[in-house]
Amino acid sequence: MADDLFKALADPTRRTILDELAEQSGQTLFEICSRLSMKHRLGISRQGVSQHLAVLEAAGLVETRREGRCKFHDLNTAPLRQITERWPAPAPSGPEESPS
């Protein structure tokens, strides 16, 4: 299990960025900063958001692509499968029988 995945998910600002990318993938740094500022009232600099995105990208949760001068950020949920595969939910059991 990659420690960087848990590190990335541990920070509430990074989880908010992931929420925003889940709602609308393919955002630029400017768009992400604007949404964090206006929608979530987070007073964080562009450099701060960029650093958070770097952590998310290192964990594989965010992928980037360039189109001309613009860099777009997309959510990648594949690394989250590592968590569900490591700790699968137990199979639901029927009502427990009590001894008579």
Side-chain angles (χ1 to χ4, degrees):
M1 182 65 59
D3 289 338
D4 53 350
L5 178 60
F6 288 106
K7 176 185 172 187
L9 294 171
D11 186 274
T13 300
R14 288 193 282 271
R15 291 192 305 268
T16 301
I17 291 171
L18 292 175
D19 290 341
E20 287 303 319
L21 290 175
E23 188 175 307
Q24 181 182 338
S25 200
Q27 294 185 58
T28 63
L29 176 60
F30 176 79
E31 291 169 321
I32 294 168
C33 290
S34 297
R35 290 173 71 104
L36 292 176
S37 174
M38 294 188 312
K39 186 176 175 183
H40 300 280
R41 304 288 185 225
L42 293 177
I44 185 168
S45 68
R46 285 175 57 98
Q47 182 180 4
V49 173
S50 183
Q51 290 172 348
H52 281 301
L53 286 167
V55 172
L56 292 168
E57 191 172 358
L61 292 167
V62 170
E63 295 179 341
T64 59
R65 58 188 161 82
R66 287 200 174 272
E67 291 181 18
R69 292 178 26 191
C70 295
K71 183 177 180 181
F72 296 93
H73 301 84
D74 297 292
L75 176 63
N76 178 21
T77 59
L80 297 174
R81 282 187 225 119
Q82 294 176 12
I83 296 171
T84 59
E85 289 170 0
R86 182 171 180 172
W87 296 294
S93 59
E96 291 185 28
E97 294 182 24
S98 59
S100 300

